[in-house]
Structures are given as C-alpha cells and as structure tokens.
Amino acid sequence: MREPGAGDRDRRPRGTLSAAGRGARLPGAHPHRRRRDRLARPGADLEQERPLSADRTSDDDIEDLLRRHAPQVLGALVRRYGHFDPAEDAVQEALIAAAAQWPEDGVPENPRGWLIRVASRRLTDRLRSDEARRRREETVAALTPADAFVAPPPGEGPAGLGGRAPSEDDTLTLLFLCCHPALTPAAQIALTLRAVGGLTTAEIARAHLVEEATMAQRISRAKRAVRRAEFRRPEPEDRDRRLAAVLQVLYLIFNEGYTATAGPDLHRTDLAREAIRLTRAVRRLLPHEGRVTGLLALMVLTEARTPARTGPDGELIPLDGQDRALWDRTAIAEGTTLAEEALAQGPAGDYQLQAAIAALHDEAGRAEDTDWPQILALYELLVHRTPDPAAALGRAVAVAMVHGPRAGLVEVDALAGAPGGHHRLDAVRAHLLERAGDHAAARTAYLAAADGTLSEPEARYLRARADRLSP
C-alpha cells in the first residue's frame, strides 16, 4: 500500500474535502481521476501496508470508512499538536490522499493509522514551513520518539506505545471541544457540523440559509475562540453539564433537519441523518448513558415517520393524516428497543421521556389508536422536569386529546407570551379551535401561524387549512 511521503505536498485547493470525510466524491475529490497531485512520487518515503482484500473496496465503503475515522484522526492530531486549523487542513489532505489511492490500491489493514500517519506528516511539514512556528515544531520533534508517528488505532498499539497513541476514540473529546461553553449555540452547531460531521462550509451555509462567506466567518471565529482550550474530556464535576451541551447541539441539528425552520423544503435529510450518525457515535463511546440512548431513540423513532410526512408535491401531511403503512417499521422496532433500554439505564430524563412519547405514537396502527392518556402522563413528568415551551405545548395537545379541545385551549392560552412562543402556538390554537367548532377564530389563528413561519411548506399547509374554513 503506497503512502504519501512527508515531503510530497498536495497542491489541491483548500477546502475541497471536509475534515470529517464528507465523502470521497465531493467537488475536488474524484477517486478515479488521475490527479496531478498524485500522492506518492518515485523516491518518496513510503511504507507498505497489506490491503484488507485483493478486491477493490467500493466507493461507498470507502466513503463510510473516511466519515467514521476522520473525526478520530482530527482528534488525534489536535490532542498531539494543538493547532486546530492546520490540523484540520492536514486531515483534509490525508482524506484526499485516501480517496485517490484506496479505490485503486485497496484499503490498508489499519486505515486510521494510515490517515493519522499521513496527516501527521503533512502537519509537521506545514508547521516547519512556517517560520513563526519553526522553533516550536523543532522542540516538539526533538521530544517526540520517531515511532510515535506510526500511530495505531486506539487500544491496538504495542504495550510499549500505549502512552503515545490515543487510548480511546477522540470523537467525543472533539465534540466536547466543538460544544465549548465559550461558544454560542449557533457557533457550536456550525463547528460540530464542520469538524465532526464533515459537512463543507458551503453545505452548512446552505443548511442555515446564509451566505458561505458568512458561515466561514462564523466557523473561523469559533475556532479562534477554542484555540487555547485544552483538548481533553471535562473533569467529572463538569462532565454532566458539558455532555448536556453536546446532546443539545446534536438534537438541534436533528430538529433543523427533520423540520427545517425556513426555506422551501420541509425536511433536510443530510442534517437529520448526520445528527443520527453522530449520536450513534457518541452512544458507542457511552453505551450506558441513558441520556445518549434516549436521544438516539427519539431521533430514530421520529425519523421513521419521514416517508409519510409529505405528499407527492411536497405538501406537509400532519401526524394524524399520515399513511402509517409508509412508516419505517424496522426503525420503529430499533427505536422502541432503544427507548426501553434508555428508561432502564437510570432515572428518566428529558430525552428518555420524549423517546417514550414518540414510541407510543409510532406503535399506534391508526391515529385513533394512540394511547393519549399515557402520553399525557409522560408529558406531565416532562414539563415538571424542563421549562421547554415545546414540551408545554405538547402537553396542551395531549390535554385536548384526553379532555377535549376546550380544555386544551385553556392550556394553550396559559402559554401565550411565554418565552419561545411562536407560530406553532398559533397553529395548535387554530387546530383546537377548529375541533371545537369555532371556524372563524380558527381561520384567523391559521393565518397568523402562516405569517409567523419561514418554512414554505408549513405556510402553504396552514393557509390551505385556513382556506378550507372560509365562509
């Protein structure tokens, strides 16, 4: 297996492949193209590695492999060298090297070790070329044993190297860094999607409906803010709070993907799936953490309904009007098992309770079969734990389904003016007014909700409901 040498500089345009391996087929990274920047010139410092098999691995397999290993490689470099920005660039170069070589030469037996080694050499080469950092790099090189640059995967190094190679997956540590308390929630989301999720700056900008230059500045500011942060997991006394921030960011990413807050599309599949992928990665590292299992269950159960959420022309279909035969029953079975496991892993927290509610919705074969009394009981527990306005609004709907629309309207009116009140409050009020027979007031509320949302599918749906109630 060929490997690019330390002096073999990649002359690609920067930013063509994101640091978390968004895929071997991003613009600027073509696995089957004979590249000018071929990665191993004659005479370069190469090392032979045995491929996993004689058959060439498929592009999709390689893409999945890069996505899985890239945040771990970035974490290993940041842990060893610091320098978040140069480390990210070095990982990008290693990923492009892999995307160009592996389809032709085969995947190395130790793909992460290969990526860490190539990225480390690219990074040290870059640091040495920077006069301002030359002295610092020479000191690091003098103190680092030569064999430390041959990095095995966590837990797989020889006994004598256990202290030099990462002993654990650095993905979670990288997530903690990206969700550092010094960053705003918007910056945490952007940096997480860039450094851990592997989305390019352009993709993140499109997902948030902002200009690419604006998003690039946001990510750059976030990197500067955490530049001096120590790359390590939080101390035990701070762990719960920091983990809560990580999970909140993953949940925000999922929510934006499942129901986009603005724009022409109801669902942004890439964001929702990326949030689920990252949450699965966290659960692999924290398999007994009930909050993580609960969040994953909630995401899987919610995403299972996606095939039935829109009609043939992209129109929104509400939960009670969906064709449940289209729901993903395999995902529902997985999510239900996860929800049960989450509840068994400790005291029921916010994500565990929301997952249990989602499971009750998904298990109902028809809308009228939904166990609303049990859902209301779970919402009572949830609103007792959290001041989240969305939980309070969900409870109001459950009250209406158990005790009638007028009882639900009382709960909705009590939420008016509460922090976080928005078009969804008007939408629920409109629905309950319609069920109560007050069509004129319902029409007014539907139109108010339509005016308050930036989501085009939601606005069309709400206006269509209002039009149905026209005198």
Side-chain angles (χ1 to χ4, degrees):
M1 180 72 192
R2 293 180 300 161
E3 177 188 316
D8 189 17
R9 301 297 298 274
D10 187 339
R11 302 180 184 279
R12 65 169 180 84
R14 292 178 64 180
T16 54
L17 183 63
S18 73
R22 177 61 182 162
R25 297 187 295 277
L26 285 180
H30 302 279
H32 300 300
R33 180 179 296 173
R34 294 287 183 181
R35 298 168 55 87
R36 291 179 303 173
D37 51 353
R38 198 62 183 139
L39 297 161
R41 297 196 306 266
D45 178 19
L46 304 179
E47 177 176 331
Q48 296 295 321
E49 294 196 26
R50 179 169 58 86
L52 288 173
S53 69
D55 298 331
R56 291 181 180 177
T57 308
S58 73
D59 289 347
D60 287 342
D61 290 339
I62 289 174
E63 180 175 346
D64 290 342
L65 198 62
L66 293 176
R67 286 173 64 82
R68 184 168 70 251
H69 286 310
Q72 303 165 15
V73 176
L74 178 57
L77 261 67
V78 175
R79 178 189 294 278
R80 181 180 294 167
Y81 300 103
H83 308 296
F84 195 108
D85 262 345
E88 187 183 27
D89 288 339
V91 173
Q92 290 180 8
E93 293 177 7
L95 293 170
I96 286 184
Q101 270 186 247
W102 293 0
E104 297 181 7
D105 298 347
V107 177
E109 186 177 49
N110 180 352
R112 177 160 56 179
W114 191 97
L115 289 167
I116 290 177
R117 182 161 51 253
V118 172
S120 293
R121 289 172 177 169
R122 294 297 174 93
L123 180 57
T124 56
D125 188 42
R126 175 168 294 178
L127 292 176
R128 287 193 178 105
S129 70
D130 188 341
E131 187 64 31
R133 294 173 178 164
R134 184 181 299 277
R135 188 170 301 171
R136 181 190 308 169
E137 174 55 24
E138 289 174 349
T139 301
V140 171
L143 295 175
T144 303
D147 57 5
F149 290 95
V150 183
E156 295 183 15
L161 293 179
R164 300 190 197 110
S167 60
E168 59 188 12
D169 191 329
D170 281 321
T171 301
L172 183 57
T173 309
L174 189 60
L175 274 168
F176 278 124
L177 180 65
C178 292
C179 300
H180 194 279
L183 301 176
T184 65
Q188 291 174 340
I189 291 172
L191 191 57
T192 297
L193 290 173
R194 172 69 175 144
V196 189
L199 276 68
T200 64
T201 302
E203 288 172 320
I204 301 169
R206 285 196 298 270
H208 288 81
L209 301 180
V210 300
E211 295 293 329
E212 184 175 352
T214 301
M215 183 56 65
Q217 292 174 355
R218 182 181 301 175
I219 294 172
S220 180
R221 286 195 298 269
K223 290 177 181 177
R224 288 197 300 270
V226 300
R227 181 179 298 164
R228 300 186 183 280
E230 189 175 352
F231 189 79
R232 60 174 177 79
R233 294 195 186 186
E235 297 297 332
E237 61 271 16
D238 198 33
R239 175 186 174 279
D240 282 351
R241 181 176 63 86
R242 295 287 300 280
L243 179 60
V246 168
L247 299 182
Q248 177 68 11
V249 166
L250 295 177
Y251 191 34
L252 288 172
I253 293 171
F254 175 79
N255 281 338
E256 181 59 30
Y258 187 72
T259 303
T261 55
D265 299 319
L266 180 68
H267 189 255
R268 291 173 182 163
T269 304
D270 56 343
L271 286 182
R273 291 180 178 173
E274 190 59 33
I276 291 174
R277 186 185 73 85
L278 292 175
T279 307
R280 288 190 190 278
V282 175
R283 183 171 181 266
R284 281 195 296 270
L285 299 170
L286 299 173
H288 305 298
E289 174 60 63
R291 288 176 293 175
V292 179
T293 306
L295 178 58
L296 179 58
L298 174 59
M299 290 179 178
V300 171
L301 288 164
T302 305
E303 183 69 5
R305 305 175 202 141
T306 295
R309 293 183 69 222
T310 55
D313 297 321
E315 66 274 19
L316 184 153
I317 301 176
L319 182 61
D320 60 0
Q322 292 176 12
D323 179 358
R324 300 184 178 216
L326 298 176
W327 289 0
D328 186 340
R329 291 295 161 185
T330 301
I332 290 172
E334 179 196 4
T336 301
T337 299
L338 287 168
E340 293 171 352
E341 182 179 337
L343 290 171
Q345 286 179 329
D350 297 357
Y351 297 123
Q352 294 97 311
L353 291 170
Q354 290 180 75
I357 292 169
L360 287 170
H361 280 297
D362 287 8
E363 288 173 349
R366 302 175 303 167
E368 55 267 33
D369 297 332
T370 304
D371 189 350
W372 282 107
Q374 182 63 25
I375 289 175
L376 177 57
L378 290 169
Y379 268 121
E380 295 288 4
L381 294 174
L382 184 59
V383 298
H384 182 71
R385 284 185 48 85
T386 176
D388 182 11
L393 190 57
R395 176 185 171 276
V397 172
V399 167
M401 298 305 294
V402 174
H403 301 295
R406 291 295 178 186
L409 283 166
V410 171
E411 301 296 333
V412 169
D413 290 341
L415 298 175
H422 46 57
H423 73 280
R424 297 195 191 283
L425 193 67
D426 286 325
V428 171
R429 179 182 287 109
H431 176 67
L432 297 183
L433 285 167
E434 183 179 0
R435 288 190 60 210
D438 192 344
H439 290 180
R443 184 175 186 276
T444 299
Y446 276 129
L447 292 174
D451 289 342
T453 182
L454 298 177
S455 166
E456 295 173 21
E458 283 188 344
R460 285 195 299 270
Y461 167 77
L462 292 165
R463 290 196 175 95
R465 295 293 297 236
D467 290 344
R468 287 174 48 193
L469 302 176
S470 297

